[in-house]
Amino acid sequence: QYLMSRNSNLLDVKLFKRLLEYVLVYKTVFVFVAISAILISIFSTLTPYLIKVAVDDYLALGKYQDFIYLIIFMLFNLLLTVLFMFLFSYYANLLGQKVIYDVRVQLFKHILDFKMSYFDKSSVGRLVTRAVNDMETIASIFSQGLFMIAADLMQMSLVIVVMLFLSWQLSLTVFIILPFILFATRKFQKSMKIAFNEVRSEVANLNSFVQERITGMKIVQLFNREKIEYDNFVQINEKHKKAWLKTVWYNSIFFPIAELSTSITIGLIVWFGGLNAVLENSSVTLGTIFLFIQLSQMLFRPLRQIADKFNTLQMGMVAANRIFKIIDTTSNISDFGTKNKDLINGKIVFKDVSFSYIENEKVIKKLSFKINNGEKIAIVGSTGSGKTTIVNLISRFYEVQNGSIFIGNHNIKDYKLQSLRSRVALVLQDVFLFADTILNNITLWDSSISFDRVVNAAKKIGIHDFILSLPDGYNYNVKERGVMLSQGQRQLISFLRAYIKNPSILILDEATSSIDSNSEELIQNATEKITENKTSIIIAHRLSTILNSDRIFVMSQGMLVEQGTHTELVAKKNGYYKGLYEIQFQKEKITEAQSQV
């Protein structure tokens, strides 16, 4: 109780109770581990007592006739101790793995439901640290921390009872040193808790830094930042090292002190017990001295181990606190809709919609428009005008602050989130592919999509031959982020992925802005095919790709400033779109002239 007292701030009781909620799901395993801990305490304490009996009742008196039975009993006791130690260790680890499995599933499910704004502000490296490194640290709470501490405390309690029963004088000799060990342990734990908080923070910083630099290695090398990033890494790594060295320093101080205290205690037992043993009518026998030496070690050794296990426990508690902070984060898109995907068609209506990523910095300002079912709409405008934000709001990656969005005659919030997104397909400029086969990147592991359906879809949009030209065809592994394919090839895969989804609403966000000449014709044909008979929203800087749109929306500073067909907009005198078109047309003429030269 002294070690785990709430006032000592060694343990966050509220957090600890929350962890126990996950443990109590597996009551049978938990009870078995607890019973094993109790039996280990009994069998471990019985062993030195049997040695006392052997010394006092057999060896000292020269009674060897029945000594073999005592040896057999000691061996049986030892086997039981080993057996329950094995069972305790196995099931404690098993329980720990079951708990972190449940916590990890809950954490990942929670992360999957986060708004995009959460990921805008959070480091990927830190999230990976929480989901992987910190999670394993939580497992050690149960495998090496909590249950081990409980078992040690039970053993220590039993040892104290046995000591007092046999000789209160020798017990007091041992207890004289005990307060010093307890005081040192308490100071050690307080220092280690601070140190481990710093360690976990520096581990997260290190993971975040490494993840970002490896992901952005092209930029690092292109701008000759190798030396700069190396120096930055050395500084972060130095902080990480210093944080760990603090824990090494505290351990280096505590454990020699604990070992010295144990040695002093043994010396006092031999001195005081020896003096009493030579006196007549003394209750202190030679066997009792042997017993107390062993019991004192059984009392102090767990104290030293508890200190070490408290380190493990505190690291786990720090990790658990970080993970629960993510689980407790309320950054989810509200999903209280009841309407399913059958009611979703391509009709889209914005009514006085306003939105800002940062408070008081509106990106969309009272935007209103209507897109009819099956209509092909292009959205143009300068960078930061709000084009991509419209896409994000339709897909409900973000929530509008003011106004309403309607799809298929119903407010977008009335649909189940999964139903809504199942009817919206999005093709981005920066295509993300998983480190897997082309087939799995197209179907996204949806078992309801057959291989024949994928092949037929690829043939319809004209990219079947391209896929077959790759090694292993549809089973070609594109590696991490699709690095084995060119930008244009990745774009073709994303077009097929969107097409096979058969959405009601198709959005192409700068999907044709960075394609290579070899893929341009394929992508243009694919674009025409996948937008047939679908409500299509095309965001593009290259105005030549949107000339055949039914209407063109022109955005500027979060507002819809013009709309109409290409012919109507270029006919407007001093029109915003006309200015954009003329500037781009002149650039294209200059580029064409330069290429001819």
Side-chain angles (χ1 to χ4, degrees):
Q1 290 179 345
Y2 178 84
L3 286 172
M4 300 182 70
S5 144
R6 188 170 185 174
N7 294 330
S8 67
N9 294 321
L10 299 181
L11 191 65
D12 187 329
V13 176
K14 186 176 180 181
L15 180 62
F16 187 72
K17 286 181 178 178
R18 186 170 181 180
L19 273 174
L20 284 181
E21 292 175 6
Y22 292 89
V23 176
L24 295 178
V25 174
Y26 306 99
K27 289 182 180 178
T28 304
V29 180
F30 177 75
V31 170
F32 184 81
V33 171
I35 293 173
S36 297
I38 294 171
L39 292 176
I40 289 170
S41 301
I42 295 172
F43 295 142
S44 297
T45 308
L46 184 59
T47 298
Y49 185 80
L50 291 175
I51 294 175
K52 174 196 178 300
V53 172
V55 172
D56 288 343
D57 298 344
Y58 288 89
L59 298 180
L61 301 178
K63 294 181 179 179
Y64 305 112
Q65 186 175 0
D66 299 326
F67 190 54
I68 185 64
Y69 298 111
L70 181 64
I71 298 298
I72 293 172
F73 186 70
M74 291 175 66
L75 179 60
F76 180 68
N77 181 73
L78 179 62
L79 290 174
L80 287 176
T81 303
V82 172
L83 174 63
F84 280 100
M85 280 184 174
F86 163 74
L87 294 174
F88 175 83
S89 178
Y90 176 79
Y91 283 101
N93 279 277
L94 176 66
L95 186 58
Q97 291 302 317
K98 286 178 177 290
V99 167
I100 66 166
Y101 173 85
D102 293 343
V103 177
R104 185 182 279 126
V105 167
Q106 183 183 3
L107 174 67
F108 191 71
K109 184 178 184 301
H110 197 62
I111 290 175
L112 287 175
D113 294 332
F114 277 157
K115 300 176 184 176
M116 287 299 109
S117 57
Y118 179 86
F119 300 103
D120 294 340
K121 301 172 184 176
S122 301
S123 164
V124 174
R126 287 181 180 274
L127 289 176
V128 171
T129 300
R130 301 293 175 264
V132 181
N133 298 39
D134 285 349
M135 203 65 70
E136 291 301 325
T137 307
I138 290 179
S140 64
I141 292 179
F142 304 100
S143 61
Q144 303 172 36
L146 172 64
F147 296 125
M148 292 291 187
I149 291 173
D152 286 342
L153 289 174
M154 281 189 285
Q155 179 176 299
M156 290 168 60
S157 300
L158 188 58
V159 164
I160 291 173
V161 170
V162 173
M163 279 183 168
L164 290 171
F165 177 77
L166 291 174
S167 174
W168 65 269
Q169 297 99 328
L170 280 179
S171 299
L172 289 179
T173 304
V174 175
F175 298 160
I176 288 173
I177 305 298
L178 194 57
F180 296 101
I181 294 288
L182 292 173
F183 177 77
T185 301
R186 184 185 183 194
K187 297 295 290 185
F188 175 68
Q189 295 313 315
K190 283 187 174 181
S191 300
M192 289 300 286
K193 183 176 182 180
I194 297 171
F196 280 134
N197 272 302
E198 187 175 344
V199 165
R200 298 315 303 169
S201 177
E202 293 303 332
V203 167
N205 289 338
L206 186 62
N207 285 351
S208 180
F209 181 89
V210 171
Q211 186 272 333
E212 285 184 347
R213 270 55 183 187
I214 290 177
T215 303
M217 189 56 69
K218 285 184 179 179
I219 300 299
V220 171
Q221 295 182 355
L222 182 63
F223 287 90
N224 298 316
R225 290 186 57 84
E226 292 92 338
K227 180 64 169 61
I228 296 172
E229 298 301 344
Y230 172 78
D231 292 339
N232 290 338
F233 176 80
V234 169
Q235 291 179 12
I236 292 175
N237 199 32
E238 179 68 19
K239 291 179 180 179
H240 177 262
K241 181 190 74 175
K242 287 181 178 179
W244 271 111
L245 285 178
K246 281 186 180 180
T247 67
V248 173
W249 170 251
Y250 295 140
N251 277 295
S252 300
I253 293 174
F254 174 76
F255 287 103
I257 291 175
E259 193 65 36
L260 179 62
S261 301
T262 303
S263 299
I264 292 174
T265 302
I266 293 174
L268 289 173
I269 291 172
V270 173
W271 171 73
F272 183 78
L275 286 178
N276 281 269
V278 298
L279 297 176
E280 294 183 4
N281 300 322
S282 173
S283 61
V284 178
T285 63
L286 185 61
T288 303
I289 295 175
F290 278 117
L291 174 60
F292 265 79
I293 290 174
Q294 289 185 294
L295 290 181
S296 65
Q297 290 179 319
M298 291 178 65
L299 183 63
F300 289 156
R301 189 186 305 117
L303 276 175
R304 298 198 300 272
Q305 292 174 349
I306 284 175
D308 192 36
K309 289 161 189 171
F310 251 115
N311 297 345
T312 301
L313 181 61
Q314 286 179 339
M315 286 188 73
M317 295 297 285
V318 169
N321 187 49
R322 293 175 184 274
I323 289 169
F324 286 137
K325 279 184 179 179
I326 297 177
I327 292 176
D328 293 338
T329 300
T330 53
S331 184
N332 300 50
I333 294 289
S334 60
D335 188 13
F336 302 110
T338 57
K339 300 187 183 301
N340 59 38
K341 60 185 179 182
D342 296 333
L343 298 174
I344 299 176
N345 60 43
K347 180 182 176 183
I348 304 172
V349 177
F350 273 53
K351 286 188 177 180
D352 296 323
V353 172
S354 296
F355 175 79
S356 59
Y357 295 102
I358 302 173
E359 192 174 356
N360 299 324
E361 294 184 20
K362 289 188 177 180
V363 181
I364 296 292
K365 306 168 185 175
K366 292 189 175 181
L367 180 63
S368 298
F369 61 76
K370 178 181 178 181
I371 299 175
N372 298 314
N373 185 30
E375 195 172 13
K376 184 177 180 181
I377 299 295
I379 303 179
V380 300
S382 59
T383 301
S385 60
K387 305 185 299 295
T388 299
T389 300
I390 293 175
V391 173
N392 289 334
L393 295 178
I394 291 174
S395 303
R396 287 200 74 194
F397 292 140
Y398 300 86
E399 296 277 38
V400 298
Q401 278 99 31
N402 300 103
S404 302
I405 301 175
F406 295 86
I407 293 181
N409 299 322
H410 295 284
N411 191 300
I412 197 171
K413 295 182 180 180
D414 293 338
Y415 294 105
K416 296 176 183 177
L417 193 58
Q418 186 176 7
S419 295
L420 172 68
R421 289 178 177 170
S422 70
R423 303 305 297 151
V424 178
L426 178 60
V427 180
L428 300 171
Q429 176 184 1
D430 183 18
V431 179
F432 184 89
L433 297 181
F434 294 94
D436 210 311
T437 64
I438 286 180
L439 179 63
N440 286 335
N441 271 288
I442 294 168
T443 64
L444 294 179
W445 303 275
D446 186 346
S447 58
S448 66
I449 302 175
S450 67
F451 177 71
D452 290 339
R453 180 178 164 189
V454 174
V455 172
N456 291 333
K459 288 178 179 178
K460 285 181 181 179
I461 65 174
I463 68 172
H464 175 67
D465 293 336
F466 145 66
I467 295 176
L468 289 184
S469 69
L470 298 170
D472 298 324
Y474 287 88
N475 292 317
Y476 180 62
N477 194 312
V478 300
K479 305 299 181 184
E480 188 174 359
R481 299 185 66 87
V483 294
M484 302 304 292
L485 302 178
S486 69
Q487 174 68 24
Q489 290 172 330
R490 291 198 294 271
Q491 201 66 265
L492 289 170
I493 299 302
S494 70
F495 271 62
L496 180 53
R497 183 161 63 190
Y499 180 68
I500 207 165
K501 190 177 181 180
N502 191 27
S504 300
I505 300 170
L506 177 67
I507 302 172
L508 308 181
D509 188 357
E510 305 287 357
T512 59
S513 61
S514 57
I515 57 176
D516 52 76
S517 57
N518 294 327
S519 303
E520 184 170 6
E521 185 177 352
L522 282 173
I523 287 181
Q524 287 178 346
N525 292 334
T527 302
E528 292 176 5
K529 190 66 179 177
I530 68 174
T531 56
E532 285 181 1
N533 304 318
K534 288 181 175 61
T535 300
S536 304
I537 299 175
I538 303 173
I539 298 174
H541 282 300
R542 298 171 61 182
L543 302 185
S544 58
T545 62
I546 60 171
L547 300 182
N548 296 325
S549 301
D550 296 324
R551 280 187 294 160
I552 299 173
F553 290 172
V554 185
M555 297 290 297
S556 178
Q557 298 181 352
M559 296 182 289
L560 181 61
V561 293
E562 291 178 350
Q563 63 173 301
T565 64
H566 170 73
T567 304
E568 293 171 345
L569 293 175
V570 293
K572 283 189 177 183
K573 187 177 181 180
N574 299 322
Y576 193 98
Y577 177 83
K578 182 179 181 180
L580 290 175
Y581 182 74
E582 289 178 348
I583 291 172
Q584 193 167 116
F585 182 70
Q586 290 296 327
K587 286 182 179 179
E588 289 177 356
K589 287 185 65 176
I590 293 171
T591 303
E592 184 179 350
Q594 289 175 341
S595 64
Q596 290 177 352
V597 173

